[in-house]
Amino acid sequence: MIITIHQPEHLPWLGFFNKLSKAEIFVILDSVPYRKNYFQNRNKIIGSNGEQYIGIPTVNVGHIEGTIATTKIAIDGNAKWKTKYLNTIRMSYGKHPYFNEVFPILETAIMMETDLLADINIAIFTSFAEKMGFSPKYVRSSTLDVSGAKSDLILDICKNLKADTYIAGPSGRDYLDMQSFRNAGIRVVFNDYKHPEYPQRKTETFVPYMSALDLLMNCGFEEGRRIILEGNEGVSEE
């Protein structure tokens, strides 16, 4: 069983989907602390004036004690943030070739009835993944009987799901206790992703590490899949 684990980012980048494409089980790591003003509630797009952040406002009071799974959206009575958010996307990508294909999916997720940030993030990236033909089984870590932090938590999740292979990101080299995985009979590989380039409007030179939304608005789901996999450098062991 091949698994990978990642926090439910908002509008994730290309490497997120590349790693997701290789897993049989994708564990949504929503049981860890929420980190405000990070990629959990915002990400980068190419707007009218170049790269910019777009995000979802969250309730930050008490966020240190909470988890990603329990983080609430800062909702005003008229849901003004949704109108502003969707208008920003229209202004930024309304004239892009695949806007009419991609925008309705994003709009459906943004407009869903929920007060939890993770619900919207998960709805967006699972819908995008499905449209690109990526279909792992999704498991939320908040539903598992696991404990620990960092390497210990990752190992406990792998044991719980009976994984024989764990796909880590490159940063895993800095904190994973490799010996503990060996002792458990779990192979660890690292997804060393090389960011590909693609046709990108509103900029003279290519700007990498944007949300995958930028790729999809420019290239669509079918070509987006090909480009995401094009950046695949394979997996390497320690």
Side-chain angles (χ1 to χ4, degrees), residues 33 69 81 89 93 97 100 121 137 166 182 188 196 203 205 218 221 228 233:
W81 78 264
I89 297 296
Y93 293 108
N100 291 333
N121 287 353
K137 176 182 177 181
Y166 169 60
R182 293 189 200 98
V188 177
T203 178
T205 58
N218 280 290
F221 291 107
I228 284 173
E233 292 293 290

Side-chain angles (χ1 to χ4, degrees), residues 127-181:
S127 296
F128 284 177
E130 181 181 9
K131 292 291 287 184
M132 288 187 283
F134 304 142
S135 56
K137 176 182 177 181
Y138 297 103
V139 176
R140 295 178 69 154
S141 65
S142 58
T143 68
L144 301 175
D145 183 17
V146 293
S147 61
K150 296 185 177 180
S151 183
D152 291 339
L153 176 59
I154 298 300
L155 179 59
D156 204 18
I157 291 172
C158 288
K159 288 179 176 178
N160 185 286
L161 296 174
K162 297 178 169 53
D164 52 50
T165 301
Y166 169 60
I167 303 174
S171 64
R173 292 185 176 92
D174 300 328
Y175 69 88
L176 291 178
D177 179 357
M178 299 300 295
Q179 189 59 50
S180 66
F181 282 84

Side-chain angles (χ1 to χ4, degrees), residues 58 68 71 73 116 126 137 178 181 188 209 213 227:
T58 57
I68 296 173
T71 299
I73 300 167
L116 297 175
T126 56
K137 176 182 177 181
M178 299 300 295
F181 282 84
V188 177
Y209 304 108
L213 180 69
I227 291 170

Side-chain angles (χ1 to χ4, degrees), residues 17-30:
F17 288 100
N18 180 274
K19 191 170 70 159
L20 176 152
S21 74
K22 298 170 183 165
E24 294 174 272
I25 296 179
F26 184 93
V27 179
I28 301 168
L29 190 62
D30 63 347

Side-chain angles (χ1 to χ4, degrees), residues 5-18:
I5 302 171
H6 209 291
Q7 294 178 12
E9 293 182 350
H10 184 64
L11 296 176
W13 75 298
L14 278 61
F16 176 102
F17 288 100
N18 180 274

